[in-house]
Amino acid sequence: MTEILNLEGYIKGVTYQTFLHDNLEAVTLDNFDINQAKSCGLIKFNSTEIVYSKWVSPKRTRSYPF
């Protein structure tokens, strides 16, 4: 059975500077829990990898994810 993963989202008026680290912690999609996850990492499923980052403080502080 083939898994289909659809991601969609929009952020306006924000510019990002990207940093790619070779030492990102990898987790499988089945074991991924955003509430337990670190602030950034790598999600692996089938032969696909997705890098994620999440908000680490209240949004009102304007500390954007990277």
Side-chain angles (χ1 to χ4, degrees), residues 24-37:
L24 290 175
E25 183 177 316
V27 63
T28 62
L29 182 61
D30 294 334
N31 295 327
F32 182 70
D33 178 357
I34 192 64
N35 297 312
Q36 300 297 320

Side-chain angles (χ1 to χ4, degrees), residues 42-55:
L42 186 68
I43 302 172
K44 293 184 174 189
F45 62 98
N46 298 333
S47 60
T48 305
E49 296 178 338
I50 296 175
V51 177
Y52 74 91
S53 66
K54 68 176 186 173
W55 295 97

Side-chain angles (χ1 to χ4, degrees), residues 55-66:
W55 295 97
V56 293
S57 62
K59 292 180 184 129
R60 68 179 177 276
T61 64
R62 313 234 323 126
S63 58
Y64 300 108
F66 56 92

Side-chain angles (χ1 to χ4, degrees), residues 6-17:
N6 295 312
L7 302 173
E8 184 177 335
Y10 302 94
I11 299 176
K12 294 182 180 182
V14 177
T15 57
Y16 290 95
Q17 192 173 23

